[in-house]
């Protein structure tokens, strides 16, 4: 089989588009299923059981992120971007015919396993096909897939479920996954790996052994995802309960912040390309997260609503801006033989931290209010600042 070593600009950006679509399909499967709660409860499923069902894709994803990363490193990204979405297609298609909740839960878990494939299958495509001065922008665009998927799920899944039923709604992400698999089959090309034996051996070496750089980036990302999760999870409730906005108005603002956050990820990536650094901008974003969350805490405690709303918008954008920066840094530093596992570890830590936010910070809000939650998030972001490693020039 002939190895492709050069591609044109159109092919490079089209592969990025295919990666974004595949990741968006996974996001719809994992996050969009949560929008089935009303339909599931309406058909008689107890709320606790319905909640467990919609959590199954996330469980399948978290359990297999690192395993998929290992597969990416062994067989390449093209096969993974075909096989993972195909697994989502099959799991979703069979789930649409499930007649009991146990079978449905198992198939949703399996779909989450397939969805995990797309998370790690991005680093080597971007690092391999994009030059260093374009990788930050490319990864920033890649990171818009999650909010895009959440938005598609919020719009499509409940509407389809209300009109055609739960089975039809599950087919929405399954169909997207099938399209993603076909697109990857036709359009994805794995970038070449080093053909020098000495270089190849050096790059195959474990980048975690004797070097804490990647572990520090993982830790920084885990700490910074907590302010992000706090804002995402509780902004709607805070605007409605404390600020006094209607749910409709609060929902519009939260949706707008998601769009601005996606733009912020792209902007942060372009900024890192311009300055030739991922970790320098990452440190700056961490400091900005500290300041914005601390200011938001002060506004919540003092009821300065005139300041709280713009601060909420600013914090919503700032706290997601680190994602693309840290992902690009991990992919570049881990190298072509370890980027899949590196991003798998990275994603796993982020998802576990994000899962802890609702119960932990919900309890804190109940006991001490939103100001205390925002202040704790600021303190955790402050702990991330000194952990950001010394900068490395992209290779």
């Amino acid at each position: 089989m002939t190895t492709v070593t050069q591609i044109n600009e159109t092919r490079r950006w089209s592969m990025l588009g295919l990666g974004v679509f595949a990741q968006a399909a996974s996001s719809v499967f994992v996050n969009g299923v949560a929008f089935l709660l009303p339909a599931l409860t309406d058909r008689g499923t107890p709320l606790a059981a319905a909640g467990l069902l919609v959590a199954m894709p996330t469980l399948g994803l978290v359990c297999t992120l690192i395993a998929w990363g290992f597969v990416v490193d062994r067989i390449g990204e093209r096969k993974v971007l075909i096989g993972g979405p195909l697994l989502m297609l099959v799991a979703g298609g069979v789930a649409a015919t499930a007649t009991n909740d146990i079978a449905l839960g198992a198939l949703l878990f399996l779909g989450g396993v397939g969805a995990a494939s797309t998370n790690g299958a991005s680093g080597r495509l971007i690092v391999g096909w994009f030059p260093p001065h374009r990788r930050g922008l490319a990864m920033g665009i890649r990171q818009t897939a999650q909010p895009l998927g959440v938005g598609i799920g919020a719009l499509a899944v409940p509407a389809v479920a209300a009109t055609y039923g739960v089975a039809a709604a599950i087919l929405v992400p399954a169909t997207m996954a099938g399209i993603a698999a076909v697109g990857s089959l036709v359009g994805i090309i794995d970038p070449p790996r080093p053909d020098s034996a000495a270089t190849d051996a050096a790059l195959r070496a474990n980048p975690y052994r004797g070097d804490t750089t990647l572990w520090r980036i993982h830790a920084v990302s885990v700490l910074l995802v907590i302010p992000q999760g706090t804002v995402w999870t509780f902004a709607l409730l805070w605007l409605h309960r404390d600020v006094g906005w209607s749910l409709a108005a609060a929902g519009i603002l939260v949706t707008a912040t998601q769009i601005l956050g996606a733009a912020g990820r792209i902007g942060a990536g372009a900024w890192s390309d311009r300055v030739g650094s991922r970790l320098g901008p990452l440190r700056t974003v961490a400091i900005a997260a500290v300041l914005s969350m601390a200011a938001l805490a002060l506004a919540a405690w003092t009821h300065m609503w005139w300041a709280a709303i713009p601060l909420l918008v600013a914090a919503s954008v700032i706290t997601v801006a680190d994602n693309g920066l840290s992902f690009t840094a991990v992919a570049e530093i881990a190298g072509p033989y370890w980027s899949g596992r590196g991003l798998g570890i990275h994603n796993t830590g982020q998802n576990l931290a994000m899962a802890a936010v609702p119960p932990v910070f919900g309890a804190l809000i109940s006991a001490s209010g939103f100001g205390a939650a925002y202040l704790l998030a600021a303190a955790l972001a402050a702990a991330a600042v000194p952990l950001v490693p010394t900068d490395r020039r992209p290779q």
Side-chain angles (χ1 to χ4, degrees), residues 66 69-70 72-74 208 337-346:
I66 297 175
F70 180 82
V72 167
D73 291 333
R74 290 298 298 270
Y208 290 93
Y337 292 103
W338 277 83
S339 63
R341 277 166 283 186
L343 291 175
I345 294 169
H346 201 73

Side-chain angles (χ1 to χ4, degrees), residues 219-304:
V220 167
S221 188
V222 166
L223 290 169
L224 292 182
V225 83
I226 295 174
Q228 173 187 323
T230 302
V231 173
W232 277 15
T233 303
F234 298 107
L236 184 71
L237 180 63
W238 180 57
L239 288 169
H240 177 61
R241 198 177 81 179
D242 281 23
V243 184
W245 284 28
S246 69
L247 284 173
I252 291 172
L253 180 63
V254 171
T255 300
T257 62
Q258 290 281 323
I259 296 171
L260 291 172
R265 293 182 181 193
I266 296 174
W271 170 33
S272 76
D273 287 336
R274 183 178 296 274
V275 301
S277 167
R278 315 300 174 205
L279 300 178
L282 180 60
R283 183 179 292 104
T284 302
V285 168
I287 294 170
V290 176
L291 296 176
S292 63
M293 293 304 296
L296 191 59
L298 178 62
W301 259 319
T302 57
H303 305 292
M304 293 189 299

Side-chain angles (χ1 to χ4, degrees), residues 136-137 139-141 143-144 147 256-272 281 285 313-325:
L137 174 62
M139 191 65 87
I141 294 171
Q143 291 299 310
T144 65
T257 62
Q258 290 281 323
I259 296 171
L260 291 172
R265 293 182 181 193
I266 296 174
W271 170 33
S272 76
V285 168
V313 174
S316 298
V317 175
I318 291 168
T319 57
V320 301
D322 66 285
N323 284 43
L325 298 172

Side-chain angles (χ1 to χ4, degrees), residues 56-328:
M56 293 307 291
T58 301
L59 182 61
L61 179 140
V62 172
C63 287
T64 55
L65 281 168
I66 297 175
W68 274 113
F70 180 82
V71 174
V72 167
D73 291 333
R74 290 298 298 270
I75 69 173
E77 307 211 350
R78 180 175 180 269
K79 292 177 180 178
V80 169
L81 285 172
I82 297 169
L86 278 178
L87 182 57
M88 278 193 285
L89 171 63
V90 172
V94 179
T97 68
T99 57
N100 65 79
D101 287 346
I102 294 176
L104 177 59
L107 289 163
L108 291 176
F109 177 90
L110 189 61
V113 171
S117 65
T118 64
N119 285 49
S122 60
R124 199 164 68 85
L125 279 181
I126 290 174
V127 172
W129 287 128
F130 284 84
H133 66 280
R134 286 287 182 268
R135 291 174 190 161
L137 174 62
M139 191 65 87
I141 294 171
R142 180 71 168 73
Q143 291 299 310
T144 65
Q146 183 185 25
L148 178 64
V150 173
I152 293 171
L155 290 172
V157 170
V160 172
T163 305
Y164 302 105
V166 170
I170 294 173
L171 290 176
V172 171
T175 301
M176 288 182 64
I179 295 171
V182 173
S184 297
L185 174 65
V186 174
I188 296 294
I189 302 174
D190 281 323
R193 287 178 169 175
D195 53 11
S196 163
T199 302
D200 182 82
L203 289 173
R204 284 182 184 273
N206 186 343
Y208 290 93
R209 188 169 296 159
D211 190 342
T212 62
T213 300
L214 286 172
W215 288 119
R216 289 174 65 178
I217 297 173
H218 296 330
V220 167
S221 188
V222 166
L223 290 169
L224 292 182
V225 83
I226 295 174
Q228 173 187 323
T230 302
V231 173
W232 277 15
T233 303
F234 298 107
L236 184 71
L237 180 63
W238 180 57
L239 288 169
H240 177 61
R241 198 177 81 179
D242 281 23
V243 184
W245 284 28
S246 69
L247 284 173
I252 291 172
L253 180 63
V254 171
T255 300
T257 62
Q258 290 281 323
I259 296 171
L260 291 172
R265 293 182 181 193
I266 296 174
W271 170 33
S272 76
D273 287 336
R274 183 178 296 274
V275 301
S277 167
R278 315 300 174 205
L279 300 178
L282 180 60
R283 183 179 292 104
T284 302
V285 168
I287 294 170
V290 176
L291 296 176
S292 63
M293 293 304 296
L296 191 59
L298 178 62
W301 259 319
T302 57
H303 305 292
M304 293 189 299
W305 306 134
W306 58 271
I309 304 308
L311 284 171
L312 176 64
V313 174
S316 298
V317 175
I318 291 168
T319 57
V320 301
D322 66 285
N323 284 43
L325 298 172
S326 62
F327 271 66
T328 309

